[in-house]
Amino acid sequence: MADTGFKTTGAVVSTGTWSNFTTTRINTADNSRATTTAGTFDAATINNFSFGLSSGVTIDGIEVNTEFSNSLGTATATLQISLSWNNGTNYTATKSDTVTSTTDKNSTLGGATDTWGRSWTDSEFANGTFLVKVEGKTTAGGSCRLDFFQIKVYYTVPS
C-alpha cells in the first residue's frame, strides 16, 4: 500500500459563517485559527488538494488530521468532517470529534483502511471534484477553533 503523503488545501470554496477561514489559517499549526460561533453547525468547504493519484489505483483509505480547540474551557467544541466525490452534490457520512479544552487537540478521522463508507475511484480525487465539508460548533458561548487541516489518501497500484 502506498499513500499520497499529507496534503493541505489549495482553495477555500465557501466559508459559511466561519471567521478567518483561509488556506493560510488552516494549512499551518501556528495558532492563527479559523473560528465558528456557538450554536448550530457552521459549514465551510475546501478543495484542490493535488493528490496526484495515478489512473487505475485502488483507494484503500482516507485519513484526515486536524488540530482544533475551544475558546472557552467550560464549553464543548465539535468538529465534523464529510467528503464529497462530486463537488458537493453528495457527501459521505460525517465523522466527528469533540474537545472541551482551550488547548489544541490533534484529531485523526478515518485511516489507512477506512474508505468513509464507499468505494472510490482515482478520478474522484481530482481538483474541483473532491470536496471536504468542515463543520464546527460549540456549546455555552465558546468558539470552535480550527488551527490545522490535512488529508492523506492510501492506495494500491494495480499489478
Side-chain angles (χ1 to χ4, degrees), residues 3-5 10 18 55 61 64 71 80 95 99 105 121 123 130 134:
D3 67 65
T4 59
W18 286 77
S55 180
V64 172
S71 66
Q80 293 186 161
K95 294 186 183 290
V99 63
K105 177 182 183 179
T121 64
S123 63
F130 184 79
V134 180

Side-chain angles (χ1 to χ4, degrees), residues 77-98:
T78 302
L79 187 68
Q80 293 186 161
I81 306 295
S82 52
L83 312 175
S84 175
W85 57 95
N86 53 11
N87 199 29
T89 300
N90 302 96
Y91 284 93
T92 61
T94 301
K95 294 186 183 290
S96 65
D97 199 359
T98 60

Side-chain angles (χ1 to χ4, degrees), residues 61-78:
I62 304 164
E63 179 179 337
V64 172
N65 285 333
T66 65
E67 183 178 284
F68 74 111
S69 62
N70 185 2
S71 66
L72 187 62
T74 57
T76 299
T78 302

Side-chain angles (χ1 to χ4, degrees), residues 21-35:
F21 199 95
T22 66
T23 56
T24 302
R25 301 274 180 154
I26 64 172
N27 283 347
T28 56
D30 63 358
N31 292 330
S32 62
R33 301 183 180 110
T35 60

Side-chain angles (χ1 to χ4, degrees), residues 109-157:
L109 303 171
T113 60
D114 185 345
T115 60
W116 294 61
R118 69 178 308 271
S119 296
W120 296 82
T121 64
D122 56 86
S123 63
E124 293 171 327
F125 290 90
N127 286 345
T129 300
F130 184 79
L131 189 73
V132 178
K133 185 187 318 181
V134 180
E135 298 175 278
K137 79 171 184 176
T138 58
T139 61
S143 296
C144 181
R145 305 182 302 187
L146 178 63
D147 192 36
F148 189 58
F149 184 95
Q150 61 182 0
I151 189 167
K152 180 192 294 189
V153 177
Y154 295 87
Y155 62 93
T156 302
V157 177

